[in-house]
Structures are given as structure tokens and as C-alpha cells.
Amino acid sequence: MIPSPFVVIGPGLLGGSLLHDAKRLRVPQVRAWVRNAERAREILQQGLAEAAGSDLRELTKGARFVVLATPVGAGEEIAAELTRCALAPDAVVTDVGSVKLRVLDGAGRILQKAGISFVGSHPMAGSEAKGLGAAQPQLFRNAACIVTPDSATSASTLAVVREFWETLGCRVTQMDAAAHDALVARISHMPHVAAVAVTLAALRQDPSAAQFAAGGLRDTTRVASGDPAMWEEILTDNRVSVAQCVRHLQSALGEVLEILEKVEHGRLRSLLQQAKSLRDSRYAPPSQTP
Amino acid sequence: MIPSPFVVIGPGLLGGSLLHDAKRLRVPQVRAWVRNAERAREILQQGLAEAAGSDLRELTKGARFVVLATPVGAGEEIAAELTRCALAPDAVVTDVGSVKLRVLDGAGRILQKAGISFVGSHPMAGSEAKGLGAAQPQLFRNAACIVTPDSATSASTLAVVREFWETLGCRVTQMDAAAHDALVARISHMPHVAAVAVTLAALRQDPSAAQFAAGGLRDTTRVASGDPAMWEEILTDNRVSVAQCVRHLQSALGEVLEILEKVEHGRLRSLLQQAKSLRDSRYAPPSQTP
């Protein structure tokens, strides 16, 4: 169930995909807040919301469910404005940011102090694509979504947010914001830094080398094609955990270097086998992707 | 043009795909050398060669073009045996190994000393898939192929090998074996080590974290799913260049760490932008791959 009136604030890839799903599920009273008037017209033309525009007070009047989908930095200002809006008394607010401590300490606290129920969410369904144009129905289907309750979160607020993501097809897990941030540093932010560093180390001195690269470099560096402004914010917001994981990556590279320098055959193969097993236990080995 | 009799030695993914292309192009007198009798039957049943088996002397009688497609380590033994076979006087031998100095110093010198024309090749069309079962027609279409002549290579030998790969649809370039090895260390072997190290750093301590990982970790680590035995050989054979590139990768990671620790916003974004531009100039940014 998706409570409504349902308001998406700042629909880009993620928020726009929420609008697509709400349309698909015939949720009544869906509204979208966007600064840009042209964007608002697009949303209305596509039938993605019954109201769209930049008047936050008007759009959130009586709202029962609000998703903050702006960049995290913009979320605090919006949260402060929301405290002056007339949401429904049982309204629940969540967000879709990639770093949860930052959101909790910012937008979350602002809302909670004003008596508005907030709990953070992180649906793991992003991509290098960005913007409303890349939004699509079913983006969240089978995605993992981590909900991050804190001591201020009531059981009913948590239940509303969990059910929202489950309705969209997510596998929902909950953990506290710090555990979330440490986890995504390991499985998402550090691999992003690795892709950036591989790109720089491979191509910075001689970009023409790229003409000889095949699918290996393409896939290893794919995420480095992501939006620099968005990733600057994510990496900076989660910098302590990210830095720790990057140091783990440097250690793993150091292990390989040490083995290569000593020409320790068996050890290299067992390290390669260990990596293969860890990877293949999550992802089926690609059958044929040259 | 593919000179024939044409013999593929050790058809796995690459050699088997050569057989598929030879069939497609109706090359006469195609032969395959395999140790395993079951594999030989498969090749004959699929009509991939008119003769297949483990009798190297019989299979190479009068051969005008021979491709070594075994693992590099096995190639030297085969090369020594080839010097005792009755190839055609104008026979040309090439290989498909990923590290060219090792092949040139091993199989290459053995053949050249016996008066057999050899020049190394590296068609860049591998994948995590391996074995004859993964072989397919047109695998080499649009792939880069680097041919590595040395001072012993005649112009006619070089022309035969270049034309062979061009016939299969490769973009052929030539450079010496040392330049080749330095290049592939940067664009293929170092990224492979990075994928292995990312996998270890992300999942070694707690493999269950993988359940939350999405397309980013999947693609960044894809090549770590490759055959450990094959990659042990490649990384060991090219260890000097690989180690140097892994150190460049560590430096690039160090740059990111330093920026994160100092919270230098603008510098992080410009580094991310630089990586994105370098990557996107070779590969189109993925439009939508969540």
C-alpha cells in the first residue's frame, strides 16, 4: 500500500521512477515538487502526477506520504520548509539518499524535532543514468532496499515505509544508519573509487591506449561514468567509511604485488580463486561477454 | 585469406572460435590438435575440422598456417615438437597469448631457430567464459588484434598474419612485444587485479554483504570471475609491467584518499570528472543499467 496524498520531492531517476510506479499502481492524489516549470509540465503531460510545481505548501497539503528524492544537500532546506507545511497528522517522510547518517543528522532531525515522522531509506537501484528522462516503471523491482530506523522511529512509521518499498518489489532490510553507511562504503562507494582510480591509472597518461581496451576495462570502469557532482556528494558524506574501505583495497592490492614480486605461484592462484568464488556466489559467472 | 592446410593447436574459447570462423569462411583442410579424444570427436561431429586428434606430426603435415592456442606454458613444448614436424616450407606460425615477450622468448625463439616463421598475435577477444563450448563464430569481429613482429620477422610473414586477422574482422595494429606487454598491463591486467582486489576488500570479511550489492559491484568485479589458472599465468608472465601499473593504481587511490581526508570538494569533483571523460571517450555512457 502506498498512502496518499503521495508527494515526491525532486523527481529525477529515482523519484521519477516512483511516479511511474504510482501511476502503474493507480495511486490516487500523486503530486510532484520540482523547481523547474518545464519539468512540471512534462510530469503532468505524462500523467505521472495530478499536480506538479514548485509550491511546496500547496503540494504537501494533507500529504500522508512524502519521499525526499533531491540530492542530500538540498534535502535539509526542503525539510525545514516541510516543518512549516500542513502535512496530515499521520504523515510519514522518507528519502532515497545513498548515505544515511548525513540524512538522519540533517533532514531527519529537522523533521523529527518538528514532530514529523521520518525514517531514512536507501533503495539500491541507481545507475549512471540520471534525471527524470531515465526514470522508468519497475526500477525498484527485486532491488535491495535498506531502511534505517533510529531511536525516534515508531513501529508504525517503520511499517509504513517498509510496506511502501515492498509494494514496489524491493527486498527490504533494516539496520541503523551507521551500519548502512559502512556496508555501502564496502559494496558500492569503494568499488566506485576503484573504478575511478582504474580509469585514471589506465588512461590518464595516454588516453589513446583506450582504443585497444575491450570488455574488461569497459565493465571494470563502468560506474566511473556516473555523475561527478552526485558522487562527490556521496563520497564526501561517507568519507570516513569510504576511506577505510579504500585502505582495505590498497591492502588487497599490496597482497597481489607482494605475491607478484616473490613469484609465489600457488598463492596467486589461491587468491584469484578466492576472489572468483566470492564473486560467483553472488553473481552468476558471465557465460559470454567478450 | 587464410592459408591452408590450417591447423589450430589447443582449441578452447579462442582457438575454437577460429575453427568456427574457418568453417564459416569455407577454408579447406582445417585441422585441430587436441589431447582429449572426446574433444576431438566433438570437433569432427560439429564439422569444425576435417581432422582432429593428438598426433601433431600427422596433423601438421604440409601445414601452411598454424595457430598456437594452448596456454602459453604448454606452447613451448608444442613448439619444440613442431620443429620435428613436416610443415610446408612457407609455413607461418602465430599464437593468441596475452603476454608476448614470454611467447617470443619461448615458443617463438624455438621455432625461429629451427627456421620456422613465427610472429606473435594477441586478438583481444577473451572473456570469463572458457573452453571449446564457449567458442563461437565472429568472436573476433571488430576486436583489436596486436601483432608483435621482432627483428627475425620477415615482411611476408607479417603480411600473412595481419591478413589472417583482418579476414576475421579484427582491427590489426603492430608493435614490439615489450610495448604490447606494457600496454595490456595498463588496459587489461591491472584492471583485472583491481577487480580481484575490490572483490576481496568488499566481500572477504563478510560475504553476506554481497546480497545488498547491485550492478555496480557486479560490473566492477566481472573479470574477477575469470579462470584463476589462466590469470595466474598471465599476471606472472607479465609481472614487471603489471606490478608497475598496480603501483599507479595505488597512487590514484592515494590521491582520492588525500582529497577525502582534506575534504577538498572541488578537487574531488574534478578528479571524478576527469575519470568520467576518459572513460566516456572510449565507451558510450551506459544509458540505463541499474
Side-chain angles (χ1 to χ4, degrees):
Chain A
M1 242 270 301
I2 300 181
S4 74
F6 169 44
V7 187
V8 175
I9 300 195
L13 170 66
L14 296 178
S17 297
L18 292 178
L19 293 176
H20 277 282
D21 277 347
K23 179 181 178 185
R24 181 175 62 86
L25 297 167
R26 298 167 193 274
V27 177
Q29 300 187 76
V30 174
R31 306 166 188 170
W33 179 88
V34 276
R35 270 185 228 283
N36 181 308
E38 174 59 36
R39 199 57 39 85
R41 271 193 297 277
E42 270 175 50
I43 288 169
L44 293 171
Q45 272 164 8
Q46 292 182 55
L48 291 175
E50 67 167 42
S54 59
D55 184 339
L56 192 68
R57 293 202 190 194
E58 185 62 30
L59 289 164
T60 58
K61 207 170 274 175
R64 295 184 57 232
F65 196 65
V66 179
V67 178
L68 290 173
T70 57
V72 172
E76 294 176 27
E77 194 190 324
I78 301 273
E81 263 191 83
L82 278 177
T83 64
R84 296 184 289 272
C85 292
L87 308 189
D90 64 346
V92 170
V93 181
T94 190
D95 77 306
V96 296
S98 306
V99 182
K100 303 315 318 177
L101 271 178
R102 166 77 195 279
V103 174
L104 185 61
D105 290 346
R109 294 282 176 248
I110 292 168
L111 293 166
Q112 288 173 347
K113 274 188 193 156
I116 299 173
S117 298
F118 171 85
V119 60
S121 304
H122 180 200
M124 298 166 93
S127 85
E128 296 68 57
K130 61 174 290 205
L132 186 61
Q136 55 177 297
Q138 310 258 31
L139 181 71
F140 303 99
R141 184 153 200 84
N142 296 320
C145 180
I146 300 176
V147 176
T148 55
D150 65 302
S151 57
T153 310
S154 71
S156 65
T157 298
L158 182 58
V160 165
V161 172
R162 287 191 65 120
E163 194 185 332
F164 170 74
W165 293 112
E166 279 160 5
T167 301
L168 303 187
C170 290
R171 296 175 281 116
V172 179
T173 310
Q174 66 194 61
M175 64 184 72
D176 69 35
H180 167 275
D181 290 358
L183 175 66
V184 295
R186 275 206 290 150
I187 61 173
S188 171
H189 306 171
M190 175 275 286
H192 192 94
V193 170
V196 167
V198 167
T199 305
L200 296 173
L203 302 178
R204 187 159 43 175
Q205 292 206 321
D206 176 15
S208 75
Q211 69 185 289
F212 298 105
L217 188 67
R218 178 192 65 220
D219 288 358
T220 311
T221 63
R222 179 175 65 85
V223 295
S225 181
D227 179 29
M230 185 183 93
W231 278 97
E232 175 187 47
E233 182 174 61
I234 292 173
L235 298 177
T236 304
D237 285 351
N238 202 17
R239 65 184 171 279
V240 176
S241 289
V242 173
Q244 190 178 16
C245 292
V246 171
R247 277 185 221 103
H248 289 161
L249 174 60
Q250 287 188 312
S251 302
L253 290 170
E255 278 179 69
V256 176
L257 273 182
E258 195 190 320
I259 294 171
L260 284 178
E261 272 153 13
K262 293 186 184 163
V263 198
E264 295 181 275
H265 272 273
R267 247 185 95 200
L268 181 54
R269 190 180 305 193
S270 91
L271 203 70
L272 295 170
Q273 181 59 58
Q274 190 185 7
K276 175 174 170 57
S277 302
L278 284 166
R279 187 195 182 276
D280 291 351
S281 70
R282 169 65 178 86
Y283 305 104
S287 57
Q288 189 62 24
T289 35
Chain B
M1 241 270 300
I2 300 182
S4 76
F6 169 43
V7 186
V8 175
I9 299 195
L13 170 66
L14 296 178
S17 296
L18 291 179
L19 293 177
H20 277 282
D21 277 348
K23 180 182 177 182
R24 181 174 62 83
L25 297 168
R26 299 168 194 270
V27 177
Q29 300 188 77
V30 174
R31 307 166 187 170
W33 179 89
V34 276
R35 270 186 227 282
N36 181 309
E38 175 58 37
R39 198 57 40 83
R41 270 191 299 276
E42 269 175 52
I43 288 170
L44 293 172
Q45 272 164 10
Q46 291 182 56
L48 292 175
E50 67 167 41
S54 59
D55 184 340
L56 192 69
R57 292 203 190 191
E58 185 60 30
L59 289 164
T60 57
K61 207 170 277 175
R64 295 185 56 233
F65 196 66
V66 178
V67 178
L68 289 173
T70 58
V72 173
E76 294 177 28
E77 194 189 324
I78 301 273
E81 263 190 81
L82 279 177
T83 64
R84 295 185 290 270
C85 292
L87 309 188
D90 65 345
V92 170
V93 181
T94 189
D95 78 307
V96 296
S98 306
V99 183
K100 303 313 319 175
L101 269 179
R102 167 75 196 280
V103 173
L104 185 61
D105 290 345
R109 292 285 176 246
I110 292 168
L111 292 165
Q112 288 173 347
K113 274 187 194 158
I116 298 174
S117 298
F118 171 87
V119 61
S121 304
H122 181 201
M124 299 168 95
S127 86
E128 297 67 58
K130 61 174 290 207
L132 185 60
Q136 56 179 295
Q138 310 257 31
L139 181 70
F140 302 99
R141 186 154 198 83
N142 295 322
C145 180
I146 299 175
V147 175
T148 55
D150 65 302
S151 57
T153 308
S154 72
S156 65
T157 297
L158 182 59
V160 165
V161 171
R162 286 190 66 119
E163 194 185 333
F164 170 74
W165 293 113
E166 279 159 5
T167 302
L168 303 186
C170 290
R171 295 175 281 117
V172 178
T173 311
Q174 66 195 59
M175 62 184 73
D176 70 37
H180 166 276
D181 290 358
L183 175 66
V184 294
R186 274 204 292 150
I187 61 173
S188 169
H189 305 169
M190 175 276 284
H192 191 95
V193 170
V196 167
V198 167
T199 305
L200 295 172
L203 302 179
R204 187 158 47 175
Q205 293 206 322
D206 176 13
S208 75
Q211 69 186 288
F212 298 105
L217 188 67
R218 178 191 65 220
D219 288 357
T220 311
T221 63
R222 179 176 65 83
V223 295
S225 182
D227 179 29
M230 185 182 94
W231 278 97
E232 176 187 49
E233 183 174 60
I234 292 173
L235 298 177
T236 305
D237 286 351
N238 202 17
R239 65 184 170 278
V240 176
S241 290
V242 173
Q244 189 178 18
C245 292
V246 171
R247 277 185 220 103
H248 290 161
L249 174 60
Q250 287 188 313
S251 302
L253 290 170
E255 277 179 69
V256 176
L257 273 181
E258 195 190 321
I259 294 171
L260 285 178
E261 273 152 13
K262 294 187 182 162
V263 197
E264 295 182 275
H265 273 272
R267 246 187 94 199
L268 181 54
R269 190 180 304 194
S270 89
L271 203 68
L272 295 170
Q273 182 59 58
Q274 190 185 7
K276 177 174 168 58
S277 302
L278 284 166
R279 187 197 181 275
D280 291 352
S281 69
R282 168 65 177 86
Y283 305 105
S287 56
Q288 190 63 22
T289 35

